[in-house]
Amino acid sequence: MRVYITGVAGFIGFHLADLLLDEGIRVHGMDGMTDYYDVNLKRGRLAVLNQKPGFGFTECMLEDSATLAADMAAFKPDIVVHLAAQAGVRYSLEAPRSYLSSNIEGTFNVMEASRDLGVKHLLLASTSSVFGANTEMPYRETDKVDTQVSLYAATKKATEALSHSWAHLYNLPTTCFRFFTVYGPWGRPDMAPFKFTKAILAGEPIDVYGHGEMFRDFTYVTDLVRGVRLLMDAVPERPSTVESIETGDSLSPVAPWRVVNIGNGEKVALGDFIAAIEAATGKVAKRNLMEMQKGDVRATWADNTLLRRLTGYRPQTDIRTGMQSFVDWYRDYYRL
Ligand SMILES: C[C@H]1O[C@H](OP(=O)(O)OP(=O)(O)OC[C@H]2O[C@@H](n3cnc4c(=O)[nH]c(N)nc43)[C@H](O)[C@@H]2O)[C@@H](O)[C@@H](O)C1=O
């Protein structure tokens, strides 16, 4: 099997490539190496992957459709996993236009190239943020998702819709993942697990938004990429009739397309998450209680029944175990 990964120097792309290469699968990846966060971390991830046989890499922007298409065509992938994006909820208030070019135009370029090459399965990263202002939890894939509260989430919702149309028109089997706040070794410096660990280890205070009454379904990255790996083999088929779709399955009635949550399945209060960092670092956090930030959702919580039904797997790492691994990696990597 040959797998092409966009965003391979990113947090999730790196872990997925690592898993696939260890399985003996050939992986070619691209990444724009953008400086939204420390590029050295991306280079460090690539250095690990470059040690492994079967790995190839091209530096290229998603927006550069000609280079991207040529790179994908040269590799001839069976499967494409599209993880490159402009990520981050709060940054989408600062630089909204970059989300349109990376997430909308960039995803379109990946869809086009995948269609031209007749790939067997296209898998795309969406986000739990698409559930927006929904309040009924846990979130199910079949819930209505029409109330995004950040442009980031809105662009991800748009990619779900774009990919559905291409799956329908060109018979391109497509799975969209909705990832729930992913953390772990080599994690993103713009996210709370990284920022809070850094501040607590440095003895600096942390701002706690929403007065700590915020909840996230934190998902450990190794669990998450295992889910992605298993879903690669769960290729959606166009259903013969609407009645043939099982209750709770998000399979489209007209296209080989579905969306699947990948989340731990637990709602963790921000306060408990901070306590897990305190336990892992052996330090006490100095907390400033603050109002909620614009664009943030108050809570996320995944129903992961569909993932379990399709793959027999569900994530299992609890926040204390996962944060201990993250803090151990952080101290080792930054020699603290
Ligand atoms: C699935 C989804 O996952 C990510 O979004 P997120 O769930 O919002 O994750 P986060 O780590 O940014 O925030 C988790 C919690 O932590 C608080 N928080 C954050 N940053 C600071 C911060 O700088 N200071 C303080 N005090 N709180 C912060 C924040 O208010 C929230 O309650 C995306 O990057 C995105 O790529 C994505 O798709």
Side-chain angles (χ1 to χ4, degrees):
M1 190 178 4
R2 300 166 71 84
V3 181
Y4 190 92
I5 302 178
T6 71
V8 78
F11 173 36
I12 298 169
F14 159 72
H15 280 278
L16 178 65
D18 195 45
L19 178 82
L20 299 180
L21 291 165
D22 285 350
E23 218 187 290
I25 293 172
R26 283 202 54 188
V27 174
H28 192 93
M30 63 73 74
D31 202 294
M33 305 299 278
T34 58
D35 63 1
Y36 166 60
Y37 64 78
D38 185 9
V39 180
N40 285 323
L41 193 59
K42 301 184 183 186
R43 292 201 188 103
R45 295 177 186 136
L46 279 182
V48 174
L49 296 178
N50 277 324
Q51 301 292 316
K52 306 206 170 193
F55 179 67
F57 175 71
T58 303
E59 182 171 341
C60 138
M61 293 294 283
L62 277 181
E63 291 86 339
D64 180 356
S65 58
T67 307
L68 177 71
D71 193 50
M72 287 173 66
F75 181 64
K76 299 189 181 62
D78 303 300
I79 291 182
V80 174
V81 187
H82 174 42
L83 302 172
Q86 178 55 61
V89 174
R90 283 151 290 276
Y91 185 64
S92 69
L93 279 79
E94 282 173 49
R97 200 169 286 279
S98 61
Y99 289 74
L100 300 178
S101 53
S102 297
N103 300 358
I104 309 268
E105 204 185 319
T107 299
F108 176 71
N109 291 339
V110 174
M111 281 162 37
E112 273 285 79
S114 300
R115 177 193 66 167
D116 289 347
L117 295 170
V119 305
K120 297 189 183 81
H121 194 183
L122 170 64
L123 301 103
L124 311 170
S126 182
T127 170
S128 56
S129 303
V130 301
F131 289 102
N134 286 15
T135 52
E136 205 181 305
M137 295 202 199
Y139 291 146
R140 287 169 311 194
E141 294 86 347
T142 50
D143 294 344
K144 195 163 149 40
V145 281
D146 287 338
T147 52
Q148 287 76 41
V149 296
S150 67
L151 193 87
Y152 165 65
T155 59
K156 285 291 184 176
K157 172 71 193 307
T159 63
E160 294 182 7
L162 295 172
S163 71
H164 181 273
S165 72
W166 245 224
H168 172 60
L169 290 167
Y170 303 112
N171 209 27
L172 175 60
T174 303
T175 299
C176 295
F177 320 112
R178 290 194 183 136
F179 294 151
F180 284 69
T181 315
V182 191
Y183 73 103
W186 297 95
R188 267 172 40 201
D190 63 316
M191 288 181 63
F194 194 112
K195 286 199 276 191
F196 287 6
T197 299
K198 187 176 178 186
I200 291 170
L201 283 173
E204 288 163 7
I206 53 172
D207 295 332
V208 182
Y209 296 121
H211 296 271
E213 287 300 301
M214 307 268 293
F215 301 85
R216 286 290 184 276
D217 192 342
F218 288 98
T219 309
Y220 192 62
V221 67
T222 310
D223 291 348
L224 182 111
V225 295
R226 173 134 319 270
V228 170
R229 167 68 191 95
L230 294 166
L231 284 170
M232 280 166 42
D233 296 332
V235 185
E237 284 175 22
R238 199 187 293 269
S240 45
T241 58
V242 176
E243 293 72 36
S244 64
I245 303 172
E246 286 181 43
T247 311
D249 192 347
S250 59
L251 190 63
S252 160
V254 292
W257 182 99
R258 67 155 68 81
V259 58
V260 186
N261 289 341
I262 310 186
N264 209 49
E266 264 175 66
K267 194 172 109 182
V268 175
L270 223 47
D272 293 336
F273 157 67
I274 295 167
I277 308 179
E278 291 178 322
T281 55
K283 299 204 173 203
V284 177
K286 298 173 194 154
R287 304 166 199 227
N288 291 330
L289 297 187
M290 314 274 284
E291 293 301 316
M292 224 174 117
Q293 288 181 300
K294 268 185 120 169
D296 244 353
V297 294
R298 189 167 286 283
T300 66
W301 178 15
D303 182 328
N304 54 24
T305 314
L306 182 58
L307 173 70
R308 201 164 71 242
R309 197 198 290 169
L310 294 170
T311 66
Y313 175 75
R314 72 164 164 216
Q316 41 217 236
T317 305
D318 63 84
I319 189 75
R320 290 211 165 217
T321 310
M323 279 312 294
Q324 186 67 60
S325 302
F326 173 73
V327 169
D328 291 347
W329 168 81
Y330 185 93
R331 283 191 142 142
D332 184 51
Y333 188 75
Y334 292 103
R335 300 176 202 283
L336 293 168

